[in-house]
Amino acid sequence: MYDVIIVGGSYAGMAAALQLARARRTVCVIDAGQRRNRFASASHGLLGQDGAAPSEIAGNAKAQLLRYPTVTWHDGTAIRAEKDEDSFTVHMEQEEAIVARRLVLATGVTDELPAIPGLSERWGQSVFHCPYCHGYELDRGPLGVLATGDASLHQALLIPEWGPTTFFTNGVFTPTDDQRKQLYARGVTLEQERVMAITGERATVQLQDGRSVALAGLFLASKICAASPLAAQLGCAFADSPLGPYIQTDEAQETSVTGVFACGDAARAAGNVTFAIAGGAMAGISAHRSLIFGKGVQHGLHTQATHGHRAGHHHVFRGIEQWLKALENPERDKSQHPEEVIANLGLQPDDVVADIGAGTGYFAIRIAEAHPQVRVVAADAQPEMIDYLTSQSKERNLANLEPITIDPVRPELPVQANLALLVNTLHHIDDRVAYLTHLNKSMAPGARIAVIDYTIEAPEGPPADHRISAEVVCNELKQAGYVLDLELTFLPNQYFLIFKRA
């Protein structure tokens, strides 16, 4: 049994393998040899490798990786993956099975191109998807953008940085009057005639009315699909993007399936080689740490502050069973006093309460059951929490409980709330003032915010250096437009503060 199997031996997969090899872990890299950028003759924008051939970069990386004695390279296609209690089994096309304690998916994506004659033959040579990778070499020559959907407007507004641009809508995108003004302001020529073929040495667009437009390069936002079925087979959650679905991961590159990590283009809405390498390195480090500290617990990988203050403390363990064990432990009631907390919220019939960071619904479900005339919005950033809360709402017949997914940076609610409840939530947030200010847009006039979080000296809670004092919370709420209205002291390990709009 290996420590880690990595499916995908391109840039992300090799970057993950390198971290594990340097930690002296046994690694098996399974590679089908289908790098996404295999059609391009040069890779640009990669620090230290600008202009090098993709095959040269990948070949050198593989040679360096295989100098480590704990790395095994397996050429072939993985067709099926299974999770056992303590391991993962990957089945090969040749019926061979490989087993490891952890699994990293660096399986990539496939670009789905419009069925236009001459287009796929020029992919990576004069037809591209990324101007940062290929735009500079086109030397400010005439460029085009071929519409594939709504995302193409953004591309059409971007490409003029690299040369005069024609936007070929091709019957799949019709700009509004405002969008036409945006295109005109960027100097974009709008061409609505159908595209029939791409010809010429570079990229000459042949139009249905017989005209042709010679270009130095043509860009399009290609639709993507997973290049491998393994993530779906394992039950990994996917996120949607304008270009197609991708594997959803947390900041440690762990998927919704504990012990499975994903990186590279398979786990990004859009990517390039630099992003692939960075994501692969993080996935490798995270997989290694999970071998030491246990699956689903990534010690020491807290997000760093980017706004001039200490970053929030982030849980990154996955799996609803682990969350239930942590958040619904009956021992919690002894210090949390949920009934007394709810009684002090001063709820009235027809109020709307938003439980921000609702988790498994410890408070949201109790409020919904105790106050059937109160609408309870249970908001959380984790899709698995929302799925669990949705099932609980149905099982408990709680028509007044509304689970929603909320943005972890820019929170928005579907309704104006009278009360926002944040229990053990604020210490997870990096820029709390910005977060609370944005939340204001979803708060009704005269709304209140109730904050419960761990005191600095509490014997339980997040690491001490990630706790925030009641004084800091009061100051940050003040900056967001709230003043302290009530301070309650019956919780042994937490402060309980209720604020109202200034």
Side-chain angles (χ1 to χ4, degrees):
M1 180 187 293
Y2 291 94
D3 286 321
V4 182
I5 294 172
I6 298 174
V7 183
S10 189
Y11 310 102
M14 287 193 285
L18 183 60
Q19 307 306 315
L20 289 155
R22 292 191 58 78
R24 301 183 182 274
R25 293 291 183 161
T26 56
V27 182
C28 180
V29 179
I30 301 171
D31 184 42
Q34 298 292 305
R35 295 189 324 275
R36 187 183 185 188
N37 70 346
R38 64 190 181 276
F39 303 102
S41 56
S43 178
H44 293 284
L46 177 60
L47 191 64
Q49 299 287 343
D50 191 31
S55 58
E56 178 184 344
I57 297 171
N60 289 339
K62 180 179 177 181
Q64 292 173 8
L65 181 63
L66 291 180
R67 292 173 191 163
Y68 290 89
T70 59
V71 176
T72 300
W73 191 277
H74 195 118
D75 290 315
T77 301
I79 60 172
R80 192 170 80 256
E82 299 165 350
K83 180 180 180 181
D84 300 317
E85 185 174 350
D86 297 312
S87 64
F88 297 90
T89 302
V90 176
H91 298 269
M92 304 297 295
E93 206 167 37
Q94 301 84 356
E95 298 186 1
E96 181 181 358
I98 303 172
V99 182
R101 296 166 62 195
R102 299 290 185 273
L103 179 61
V104 175
L105 300 177
T107 46
V109 296
T110 299
D111 292 288
E112 298 180 336
L113 304 178
I116 296 174
L119 190 145
S120 61
E121 297 91 320
R122 291 168 173 79
W123 183 241
Q125 298 297 318
S126 57
V127 179
F128 314 104
H129 76 286
C130 174
Y132 297 98
C133 302
H134 304 286
Y136 186 88
E137 284 63 40
L138 300 177
D139 202 23
R140 299 202 61 79
L143 306 177
V145 172
L146 178 65
T148 58
D150 291 344
S152 297
L153 174 66
H154 171 79
Q155 197 173 39
L157 295 171
L158 177 67
I159 296 300
E161 291 294 298
W162 288 270
T165 301
T166 301
F167 185 22
F168 300 91
T169 58
N170 199 35
V172 300
F173 179 77
T174 303
T176 65
D177 289 342
D178 285 343
Q179 290 168 342
R180 286 174 182 270
K181 292 176 182 177
Q182 289 179 285
L183 292 165
Y184 177 79
R186 291 286 287 155
V188 177
T189 299
L190 190 63
E191 177 56 71
Q192 295 182 281
E193 194 69 24
R194 290 274 186 171
V195 174
M196 303 305 294
I198 310 297
T199 63
E201 184 178 350
R202 294 297 300 171
T204 298
V205 178
Q206 304 292 340
L207 299 173
Q208 190 173 37
D209 62 5
R211 289 180 295 127
S212 62
V213 182
L215 303 172
L218 178 65
F219 290 86
L220 61 91
S222 55
K223 302 294 185 180
I224 61 172
C225 65
S228 166
L230 301 190
Q233 291 171 359
L234 290 163
C236 297
F238 282 75
D240 291 322
S241 80
L243 302 181
Y246 60 94
I247 304 169
Q248 183 174 300
T249 66
D250 59 21
E251 62 265 43
Q253 299 297 144
E254 189 169 16
T255 72
S256 60
V257 177
T258 304
V260 179
F261 302 81
C263 53
D265 290 353
R268 291 186 61 88
N272 62 22
V273 176
T274 301
F275 290 147
I277 293 171
M282 176 58 78
I285 291 170
S286 299
H288 174 244
R289 295 191 181 199
S290 77
L291 289 167
I292 300 169
F293 299 115
K295 286 190 285 188
V297 184
Q298 302 302 325
H299 291 266
L301 291 180
H302 306 309
T303 302
Q304 295 299 306
T306 56
H307 301 282
H309 59 71
R310 186 175 63 224
H313 173 65
H314 300 272
H315 285 303
V316 289
F317 59 80
R318 293 300 191 104
I320 194 63
E321 294 82 8
Q322 290 176 311
W323 284 110
L324 287 168
K325 184 177 179 180
L327 301 181
E328 297 294 333
N329 189 331
E331 290 296 311
R332 180 181 177 184
D333 295 354
K334 296 177 181 179
S335 61
Q336 193 69 85
H337 303 300
E339 286 76 19
E340 193 172 354
V341 167
I342 294 171
N344 279 280
L345 293 177
L347 299 176
Q348 300 296 321
D350 300 324
D351 271 352
V352 176
V353 177
D355 185 1
I356 309 295
T360 54
Y362 181 89
F363 273 105
I365 291 173
R366 284 174 168 83
I367 294 172
E369 289 177 334
H371 296 273
Q373 292 180 306
V374 170
R375 181 177 178 181
V376 182
V377 178
D380 203 279
Q382 297 283 351
E384 60 190 338
M385 300 298 191
I386 302 307
D387 292 343
Y388 175 76
L389 285 167
T390 300
S391 68
Q392 289 297 299
S393 175
K394 293 177 181 177
E395 288 179 18
R396 298 168 184 254
N397 197 29
L398 295 174
N400 60 329
L401 179 63
E402 180 180 352
I404 68 159
T405 303
I406 195 168
D407 191 292
V409 178
R410 299 170 62 84
E412 294 183 5
L413 303 174
V415 64
Q416 294 276 294
N418 306 103
L419 173 70
L421 176 63
L422 294 93
V423 180
N424 304 335
T425 297
L426 278 184
H427 69 258
H428 293 289
I429 298 169
D430 292 343
D431 192 341
R432 291 181 290 273
V433 174
Y435 184 92
L436 293 165
T437 301
H438 197 84
L439 181 63
N440 269 344
K441 300 175 183 178
S442 298
M443 302 300 288
R448 298 172 299 138
I449 293 180
V451 176
I452 296 176
D453 220 313
Y454 290 100
T455 62
I456 300 297
E457 63 277 3
E460 61 185 33
D465 61 340
H466 288 278
R467 302 185 190 192
I468 47 177
S469 68
E471 291 75 18
V472 169
V473 171
C474 289
N475 181 56
E476 292 178 341
L477 265 293
K478 184 178 180 180
Q479 294 179 59
Y482 289 81
V483 295
L484 182 62
D485 184 48
L486 182 63
E487 180 175 4
L488 298 154
T489 59
F490 59 84
L491 297 176
N493 299 318
Q494 299 158 298
Y495 46 80
F496 183 4
L497 309 174
I498 299 179
F499 298 85
K500 63 180 181 181
R501 276 194 165 171

